[in-house]
Amino acid sequence: MITLSRVSRSFGAVAALEEIDLSIAEGEFVAVIGRSGCGKSTLLRLIAGLLPATAGTVTVEGTPVTAPRRSIALMQQQPALLPWRTALDNVMLPVEIAKLPRPPHRTRAAELLDAAGLAGFHDRHPYELSGGMQQRVALCRALIQQPRVLLMDEPFSALDALTREDLAAQLQDLHLARPATTVFVTHSIQEAVLLADRVVVLTPRPGRVRKVLDVDIARPRSLGHSAALPAVAECVAHLHDLLA
Ligand SMILES: Nc1ncnc2c1ncn2[C@@H]1O[C@H](COP(=O)(O)OP(=O)(O)O)[C@@H](O)[C@H]1O
Ligand SMILES: [Mg+2]
């Protein structure tokens, strides 16, 4: 579904990513973890078609990515909602930009907001919502066009720990119900082990693939209940060592 072959990206003299080889299967959930500045955001922007590679090729659904596509959604760390639009109208923004028919998408937007725990908040403006609720709206906005590929750049890192856990659990449910191919960048080992089928560990800058770790733990997983499982503890310890 997503293939990177020998992908490098530099900014002037700064090498951000070097010779990344990675293949992600349809419906797979891959977490990317690495230190600040190792090129995680750059990697997502390359896959999203927002940034060209300096060398190598990025292919999504069989064709090289040269520009943003409707089938690829990117969710950033900050929700970046339009303050003058309601939650529902923020979710509708990509539909309006793509000039898709509004009525069916409005119904879908409302369903997504309900599923995200925002029933009763459709008509609120961003300033009336907590950070976690705003990020839920941003997730609905990323999902409104039914993307085949969902790219998430530390989407929960600005939130408090409990809200983060809630959102991660909800993301897992969403993924189990309707698995889009997902690349999820995080600083959190726990989040990676909760969510991912595989974890890609990058080296410090320039980012190279240090290791790809399989997470063979039954789903649904939960931070509370799975933490005590030996397989989870082993995976967490292994990732700590790789990042040390
Ligand atoms: N647009 C840019 N111009 C110049 N340097 C950049 C740009 N984007 C990223 N970089 C540099 O590339 C490296 C990787 O950045 P980034 O992908 O944001 O890392 P991460 O998301 O892992 O923290 C950093 O050294 C950063 O300063
Ligand atoms: Mg980043």
Side-chain angles (χ1 to χ4, degrees), residues 8 19 27 34 39 41-42 46 52 74 96 106 123 161 166 175 214 218 230:
S8 301
E19 306 208 330
S41 296
T42 301
L46 289 169
L74 174 64
E96 293 170 23
R106 238 182 137 71
D123 296 329
D166 280 353
H175 185 71
D214 290 318

Side-chain angles (χ1 to χ4, degrees), residues 34-52:
R35 290 181 179 268
S36 198
C38 75
K40 302 181 296 297
S41 296
T42 301
L43 182 72
L44 288 193
R45 290 166 66 210
L46 289 169
I47 300 171
L50 294 171
L51 191 71

